[in-house]
Amino acid sequence: MNVLLVTVDSLRADRVTSSVMPATRSFADDAVEFTECIANGPSTPASFPAIHASRHFASIEGLGIPPRDADGDIRTLAEMLSDAGFATAGYTDNHFASGSYHYDRGFETMYDASGTAEAGRLKQFVQSNLDKNGALFRTIETVYNRVDALLAGATDADSEYERAASLNERALEWIDEQSDDWFSWLHYMDAHHPYEAPEAYQQQFLDEPLSLSRCRGLSRKGTHHPEDVTDEEWELIRQLYDAECAYIDDQFDALLDALEERDLLEETVILFTADHGELVGEHGHAGHPPEFWEGIVRVPFVLHHPDRDGDAVDGQIRLLDVAPTIADAVGRPPFEGWQGASALPVADGEIGAREYAFGDVGRQIEYGRCCARRADGWKLLRHADDGEFCFDVTEAPAESPADDRSGDGRPEYDELSQALDDHQERMRRFREDGSVGIDEEDAMVEDHLRDLGYL
């Protein structure tokens, strides 16, 4: 049995609909769809330890995961499958999901577009020489967006990242070379800001497609200066995001068609998920700030297994469960150090939903931003200096200030607070035991954050 893992950067669960992503919606209807999957972090650095190594971000000191020889307590899904005889290959264009942070562990082939593209390195030089935090950048931002678009045009790059269609081609070329069981991971970046879908996809949602410069300008305004975004611009940002989701839908469908043409679809376990969601105007933000609103932490989790019928499973699971679920699906025992567990017993009704899902983000804020979400929808968000918020998201999915119950003396708040305290203490002990990734103060980290538009 082969394994295909497709992770989409910044894809909200509520975009897997017949109006935005019809092919993916059809795929989910015929597969085992977990409708309450919670990301264990609001960003790629915070969520990928959970996806690849079934480890909470806060259980590792620094970013990424340790190198293989440095920590026997951490094992990746790729390592487990490689040791079981699977050929392994990964395809990504995100620094924080690449070999730079040791996510190449277990992959015989690792294609990292973020580290190889000449245009990306040139763009990085341009971005590194502009102070985006100062008044000067606000003054020249329009010029910058035009220069950025001209640079893209000069290098034939119509996207900030390598497109999903290109990653598909690379993966399929590798798959065609395999004679035994294989594991392939693809990480699509198209839904990550800036939203700059090809014109054909923009035309599905906008009256007229926008220029590359305008697309990038809106995305940067929404992520860096959201207080200046007008209602009309927020609507454009939402439409551009949906256009990117529609593009991903077509590319994922094309990948499935290619597997079917090769008579591989019914010989392959396929998991489709996302590392986190995205805000498109909710709570006054675009992108995925270090916060834990539902738009950021609710992600799709759809498992195609040739021996399983379609089913919608409502019980809460977590991205932490990706690796154990895939291992279970191909009949392999889980690694004992994994902090998640297979979601298949939840689907089969053998066990209940995960009582708690925890999320963490640490960079320079001492893990002061975190959350706990209970299976019944009660949720506690700690946003450091921004305060605490407690919601019953089944009753108040918008998580508006009027629905905040953090100061109401509710027993649910006390239970969530204690559970989150306990979780943070467990994570602290893990860090002290010596699981060390990349130092958050490393100059490479700042370069990568800037390259991805966070700084």
Side-chain angles (χ1 to χ4, degrees):
M1 189 74 72
N2 307 308
V3 175
L4 174 64
L5 172 61
V6 176
T7 56
V8 183
D9 210 294
S10 310
L11 179 62
R12 298 164 59 114
D14 63 8
R15 270 10 186 216
V16 183
T17 63
S18 57
S19 60
V20 179
M21 302 182 71
T24 309
R25 178 68 265 153
S26 179
F27 170 78
D29 289 341
D30 292 335
V32 181
E33 180 182 18
F34 294 85
T35 63
E36 293 286 331
C37 180
I38 305 302
N40 295 105
S43 64
T44 300
S47 64
F48 260 96
I51 292 173
H52 277 306
S54 191
R55 288 285 297 256
H56 284 99
F57 168 73
S59 72
I60 300 169
E61 188 68 43
L63 300 182
I65 57 177
R68 180 167 188 166
D69 295 337
D71 196 333
D73 293 333
I74 291 180
R75 196 178 192 204
T76 67
L77 173 65
E79 287 173 321
M80 185 274 289
L81 292 176
S82 178
D83 290 347
F86 286 69
T88 56
Y91 301 86
T92 179
D93 191 5
N94 187 318
H95 293 296
F96 291 110
S98 73
S100 296
Y101 297 85
H102 306 133
Y103 290 116
D104 55 349
R105 287 179 52 169
F107 286 109
E108 300 158 10
T109 297
M110 184 71 165
Y111 174 77
D112 174 18
S114 68
T116 60
E118 292 296 333
R121 284 199 285 266
L122 180 57
K123 175 171 60 65
Q124 173 64 43
F125 174 80
V126 173
Q127 291 177 330
S128 296
N129 286 276
L130 291 176
D131 179 10
K132 297 182 182 179
N133 295 318
L136 176 61
F137 180 74
R138 284 179 176 266
T139 304
I140 66 172
E141 193 161 26
T142 300
V143 176
Y144 172 76
N145 289 326
R146 289 175 181 169
V147 170
D148 195 26
L150 286 171
L151 176 61
T155 56
D156 293 324
D158 65 346
S159 171
E160 193 97 350
Y161 310 104
E162 183 160 338
R163 284 284 185 196
S166 177
L167 295 184
N168 284 353
E169 290 178 8
R170 297 180 189 279
L172 289 167
E173 182 178 351
W174 177 83
I175 288 170
D176 287 339
E177 297 172 352
Q178 307 312 309
S179 56
D180 296 316
D181 291 341
W182 49 262
F183 166 48
S184 184
W185 162 57
L186 291 84
H187 185 61
Y188 295 159
M189 283 294 292
D190 306 88
H192 190 286
H193 59 78
Y195 318 126
E196 46 193 8
E199 287 190 359
Y201 295 92
Q202 291 190 40
Q203 288 170 345
Q204 296 180 30
F205 300 93
L206 291 87
D207 293 334
E208 294 289 340
L210 303 183
S211 68
L212 191 61
S213 173
R214 178 73 167 138
C215 289
R216 293 185 176 182
L218 282 168
S219 290
R220 291 189 172 107
K221 189 174 183 180
T223 53
H224 295 295
H225 315 302
E227 68 281 359
D228 297 334
V229 179
T230 67
D231 290 344
E232 179 183 4
E233 287 173 330
W234 278 126
E235 182 59 23
L236 288 173
I237 287 171
R238 283 188 284 271
Q239 291 168 331
L240 289 170
Y241 176 72
D242 287 349
E244 289 284 22
C245 294
Y247 170 81
I248 289 167
D249 184 61
D250 268 4
Q251 302 316 313
F252 180 55
D253 191 40
L255 181 60
L256 297 177
D257 286 345
L259 292 178
E260 188 167 28
E261 290 170 2
R262 290 162 170 78
D263 294 324
L264 291 173
L265 194 59
E266 294 310 307
E267 298 178 8
T268 306
V269 170
I270 302 170
L271 180 57
F272 178 90
T273 188
D275 57 349
H276 52 79
E278 191 85 337
L279 297 180
V280 282
E282 302 90 344
H283 310 287
H285 285 292
H288 39 279
E291 300 174 356
F292 296 88
W293 310 109
E294 288 291 278
I296 295 178
V297 300
R298 285 279 307 283
V299 294
F301 191 109
V302 182
L303 180 74
H304 161 85
H305 193 294
D307 298 332
R308 285 180 172 264
D309 296 329
D311 190 19
V313 182
D314 295 332
Q316 176 172 276
I317 63 166
R318 310 138 312 176
L319 284 181
L320 208 63
D321 301 326
V322 166
T325 300
I326 290 177
D328 190 6
V330 296
R332 306 300 304 179
F335 175 58
E336 63 180 13
W338 285 346
Q339 294 172 349
S342 173
L344 294 183
V346 180
D348 294 337
E350 297 172 4
I351 62 173
R354 310 295 188 224
E355 183 179 7
Y356 289 103
F358 299 103
D360 306 277
V361 61
R363 179 174 165 79
Q364 299 179 346
I365 50 179
E366 301 299 325
Y367 304 95
R369 291 182 178 268
C370 53
C371 82
R373 190 183 190 278
R374 223 167 57 174
D376 60 1
W378 276 94
K379 178 180 172 188
L380 173 63
L381 302 81
R382 289 179 180 164
H383 287 169
D385 293 341
D386 295 333
E388 289 191 345
F389 308 91
C390 186
F391 301 100
D392 178 359
V393 295
T394 58
E395 297 293 331
E399 300 174 289
S400 65
D403 298 317
D404 178 20
R405 298 290 175 262
S406 59
D408 292 358
R410 301 291 297 257
E412 292 87 354
Y413 169 84
D414 293 336
E415 292 171 16
L416 284 162
S417 186
Q418 184 62 57
L420 190 49
D421 287 344
D422 293 345
H423 165 75
Q424 289 197 295
E425 175 59 22
R426 288 194 301 273
M427 297 303 101
R428 184 190 63 77
R429 290 198 298 268
F430 273 110
R431 294 196 302 274
E432 288 183 349
D433 285 344
S435 294
V436 180
I438 302 297
D439 189 338
E440 294 187 33
E441 301 302 321
D442 191 300
M444 176 185 72
V445 174
E446 184 169 342
D447 287 344
H448 291 170
L449 287 168
R450 183 178 292 109
D451 198 28
L452 286 163
Y454 295 120
L455 299 179

